[in-house]
Amino acid sequence: MGGRFTWAVAMHDSSRSHDLREFPLDKLVACHECDLLMLKPELAPGERAECPRCGFELFSHQPHMVGRSLALVIAALLLYVPANFLPILQLRLLGQTSQDTVWSAVVALYESGLQGIGVVVFLCSMGIPLLKLLCQLAVLLSIRWSVGRGYGLLLYRIYHHLREWGMLEVYFMGILVSIVKLVSLADLAVGAGLICFVCLLLVQVWLEITMSPHEVWEALSRGRAHASH
């Protein structure tokens, strides 16, 4: 079982900073935390590069990144429908039973006169997460099939802008708060939708870790460069 090794990237001091001008831009890397400019090392599968100044992980070389990420995206898309349309909670109060889903919550907000809030909840809990997954799927297929790399770059930029608006974890925290407040007032039963919702959240976190931005940008840029020749 191969281990992951930490690489210390060679740091250029002020006396050698002029040497960096001799290298093309694709051979250099800048730390996102401390802005140190360094030579980009060649990594073997499973290794990662760290900044020697602040220790921030610059990038890593994950084996089979595209295949693993595709599997996770497909799993997330399969979980999306049951997570949003199956009952999350079953509430029994005064002899009446109600079942709530993410979609029914959006509809209830809209029909109660809170159209603006309903639209925001729909976008952050359903619309944007789905759009993010579709962008990731298109980007990964572009890399796997070596087609449409220019569109892949555009979609990946869109995906990074959408990341700030996909708030599944915030919605999940709201569900947990509701459970804590209602558990003493009524009989609650967890529905299959909540299990799927938690699984969807975990798969997306796993996907964020697996789908290395450095490798994606490099693959898309390299493919576009080959297409231009």
Side-chain angles (χ1 to χ4, degrees):
M1 182 175 179
R4 293 175 60 87
F5 300 93
T6 302
W7 280 57
V9 182
M11 178 174 61
H12 293 264
D13 55 29
S14 58
S15 63
R16 299 178 58 195
S17 60
H18 63 280
D19 295 338
L20 294 177
R21 302 175 186 175
E22 301 174 3
F23 297 95
L25 290 178
D26 60 352
K27 298 296 183 182
L28 303 176
V29 62
C31 178
H32 294 285
E33 294 295 317
C34 66
D35 295 326
L36 179 65
L37 188 62
M38 297 157 281
L39 282 175
K40 184 188 301 182
E42 295 293 332
L43 300 183
E47 293 181 336
R48 65 179 182 270
E50 289 185 353
C51 175
R53 176 189 287 173
C54 66
F56 178 78
E57 183 176 317
L58 301 173
F59 56 88
S60 61
H61 186 357
Q62 302 187 39
H64 312 295
M65 184 274 295
V66 175
R68 292 165 59 193
S69 299
L70 271 173
L72 291 171
V73 168
I74 294 172
L77 288 171
L78 292 176
L79 288 168
Y80 178 85
V81 174
N84 287 284
F85 295 97
L86 287 182
I88 291 179
L89 293 175
Q90 188 178 46
L91 176 66
R92 298 185 185 91
L93 180 62
L94 300 177
Q96 295 185 346
T97 302
S98 63
Q99 294 182 335
D100 296 313
T101 67
V102 176
W103 173 247
S104 67
V106 172
V107 173
L109 285 171
Y110 193 86
E111 292 179 347
S112 63
L114 302 173
Q115 287 86 356
I117 297 177
V119 170
V120 171
V121 171
F122 169 75
L123 290 176
C124 294
S125 63
M126 297 182 67
I128 293 178
L130 177 59
L131 189 56
K132 283 172 51 183
L133 289 173
L134 293 176
C135 285
Q136 288 174 298
L137 178 63
V139 168
L140 291 168
L141 290 178
S142 173
I143 297 173
R144 171 58 66 87
W145 293 339
S146 300
V147 295
R149 297 295 179 92
Y151 294 109
L153 284 169
L154 175 61
L155 290 173
Y156 200 53
R157 292 191 185 98
I158 294 174
Y159 161 74
H160 275 280
H161 287 298
L162 292 175
R163 291 178 64 185
E164 301 176 359
W165 293 95
M167 301 182 182
L168 286 181
E169 63 279 2
V170 177
Y171 195 87
F172 179 64
M173 289 302 298
I175 294 173
L176 292 181
V177 171
S178 301
I179 292 175
V180 172
K181 289 187 175 182
L182 292 173
V183 70
S184 60
L185 301 176
D187 294 329
L188 293 178
V190 174
L194 182 58
I195 298 174
C196 293
F197 194 91
V198 173
C199 291
L200 174 61
L201 190 59
L202 293 176
V203 169
Q204 286 193 315
V205 172
W206 192 2
L207 179 60
E208 290 285 340
I209 297 172
T210 303
M211 193 172 173
S212 170
H214 170 78
E215 292 186 67
V216 172
W217 284 121
E218 194 171 73
L220 291 173
S221 301
R222 185 170 58 248
R224 188 175 67 167
H226 291 332
S228 63
H229 291 301

